[in-house]
Amino acid sequence: MIPITIISGFLGAGKTTYLQHILNCRNTNERILIIENDFGETSLDAKQLSTTGATVREVTSGCICCSLQGNFKDALIDILSTQDIDQIYIEPSGISKLSEIITTCTDDAIADKAYVNMIITVVDAMQAPMAIKNFGPFFKDQIKHCYAILLTHADDEKQIKKTKELIIELAPHTPIYTDVDALQQDINQLKSDTHKTHEHDSETCSCHTCNDSVDYNCAHHDTHSHHNHVGHHHEHQPFVSYTFHNLQSLNHTQWIDFCNKLPSTVLRIKGIVPTASGPMELQYTPHSCSLTDTHLKDYHLVVIGTDIDISSIQEKVCSAS
């Protein structure tokens, strides 16, 4: 039986960074396969994770949850039937419902070859109050169905306290960590505790059900020359992803200034951008923005939000030609 670890979390929480930490610190020769899901045309995270030596299977242009009964399930079955692997990690899109990912992973067609071994939800301590207020169905579902929670951007004690209170209200018995190494040390105990907790009447257990489930309506629009547009309507929340190419070369200050002036409807930006000093990786959420050196040169910028002025962004970051 192949163990499956699911790493969930809202947009920009730090799922990929956590997964990279796990993979870089492992001291075994386990054959690992990662199912990496980005909401958009391209997956920067998949490119980063491939450098760890693991095999990466990408699911792009939408969320895993949009294809739970189709592509994702079929892909997982295909992987289990054809790949010689020891462990699977799944990193769903930030706007996926964790309960639905679990349901697919415990499907009869999969359960005879693999099992859900660990479920971690990564939570941005700074972003959590906004996420739970504006995107409750996703955030709450990710909190309620995990085995443990890892808080990131946990520098403000007051904010940490507020976020922990929100989490405890949703999942009073789920352990919360602010230190990734402490979490990794406790993984085996967490597995044991979780299995003991599940030894009760299945009719009263909501661990693998979707209490807030509704039908989804996903619309994938045509590809344009300067960007791709993927519309995604979850719980009446119009998440939209655009990928910009043909980027201008701006300096470090100009890229940061561009991000800091974005409206609150822009929830996430990531990509490889050109600068005078070479390619840099841009990562943005409403509470943080960073530019770091990278060897990648596949210039693109993915913008995710609920109401995005595409022409305005294009004018600021794309070349005229």
Side-chain angles (χ1 to χ4, degrees):
M1 295 285 282
I2 299 173
I4 297 174
T5 296
I6 304 172
I7 299 177
S8 176
F10 197 65
L11 296 167
K15 300 183 295 295
T16 302
T17 301
Y18 170 52
L19 183 50
Q20 282 180 305
H21 178 84
I22 295 173
L23 297 175
N24 289 332
C25 291
R26 74 186 190 280
N27 55 6
T28 69
N29 293 319
E30 280 188 320
R31 295 159 298 182
I32 294 174
L33 185 138
I34 301 168
I35 299 179
E36 170 61 35
N37 173 219
D38 262 350
F39 177 45
E41 172 208 359
T42 60
S43 177
L44 171 61
D45 298 338
K47 293 181 175 65
Q48 294 171 325
L49 291 170
S50 64
T51 64
T52 65
T55 300
V56 181
R57 179 88 167 249
E58 296 181 54
V59 180
T60 57
S61 296
C63 296
I64 281 177
C65 55
C66 285
S67 52
L68 275 173
Q69 303 307 318
N71 295 340
F72 173 49
K73 177 181 173 181
D74 292 342
L76 193 50
I77 292 172
D78 177 66
I79 287 167
L80 293 169
S81 301
T82 62
Q83 301 276 349
D84 191 11
I85 53 176
D86 299 311
Q87 187 164 357
I88 295 173
Y89 285 91
I90 298 175
E91 184 188 342
S93 162
I95 48 178
S96 292
K97 277 196 168 183
L98 176 54
S99 59
E100 299 193 353
I101 307 303
I102 296 169
T103 298
T104 295
C105 290
T106 54
D107 184 272
D108 289 343
I110 295 166
D112 63 338
K113 295 182 179 179
Y115 66 100
V116 176
N117 184 51
M118 177 51 54
I119 307 171
I120 305 294
T121 291
V122 183
V123 175
D124 182 334
M126 298 299 295
Q127 190 175 214
M130 177 280 294
I132 197 171
K133 178 181 178 181
N134 297 328
F135 310 103
F138 307 98
F139 188 87
K140 292 177 182 179
D141 188 86
Q142 292 170 1
I143 295 298
K144 290 178 180 179
H145 295 90
C146 66
Y147 296 176
I149 292 162
L150 174 64
L151 288 188
T152 59
H153 302 111
D155 300 320
D156 186 320
E157 289 297 329
K158 184 177 180 180
Q159 189 68 29
I160 292 173
K161 183 175 182 293
K162 183 176 182 180
T163 295
K164 283 185 175 180
E165 289 173 351
L166 292 171
I167 291 172
I168 291 169
E169 186 175 346
L170 294 169
H173 304 298
T174 302
I176 302 171
Y177 292 80
T178 57
D179 182 83
V180 65
D181 292 322
L183 169 58
Q184 291 309 112
Q185 289 174 7
D186 289 352
I187 287 292
N188 289 332
Q189 184 61 45
L190 288 169
K191 295 174 188 175
S192 175
D193 291 346
T194 302
H195 294 156
K196 290 177 182 177
T197 301
H198 287 187
E199 290 176 357
H200 52 68
D201 187 350
S202 62
E203 292 183 0
T204 65
C205 179
S206 62
C207 299
H208 300 291
T209 61
C210 181
N211 298 326
D212 303 315
S213 178
V214 297
D215 291 334
Y216 296 121
N217 177 27
C218 302
H220 300 285
H221 299 264
D222 293 337
T223 298
H224 304 280
S225 59
H226 60 278
H227 66 267
N228 283 338
H229 172 188
V230 180
H232 191 182
H233 297 271
H234 274 307
E235 306 278 357
H236 307 292
Q237 294 290 350
F239 293 106
V240 181
S241 170
Y242 293 86
T243 299
F244 294 89
H245 299 283
N246 194 30
L247 300 174
Q248 296 185 53
S249 179
L250 305 178
N251 63 40
H252 186 283
T253 301
Q254 288 173 319
W255 280 115
I256 297 294
D257 187 56
F258 157 72
C259 291
N260 287 338
K261 292 181 179 178
L262 290 167
S264 60
T265 54
V266 176
L267 303 174
R268 184 79 168 102
I269 291 182
K270 57 184 174 180
I272 307 299
V273 299
T275 73
S277 57
M280 302 197 81
E281 178 185 329
L282 174 61
Q283 294 280 354
Y284 167 83
T285 69
H287 296 288
S288 66
C289 184
S290 67
L291 276 167
T292 55
D293 293 329
T294 179
H295 67 280
L296 299 174
K297 295 183 180 180
D298 177 20
Y299 295 125
H300 68 281
L301 198 65
V302 179
V303 181
I304 302 173
T306 58
D307 184 16
I308 303 171
D309 187 341
I310 297 304
S311 59
S312 175
I313 294 178
Q314 182 188 1
E315 182 180 340
K316 291 180 175 67
V317 304
C318 293
S319 301
S321 58

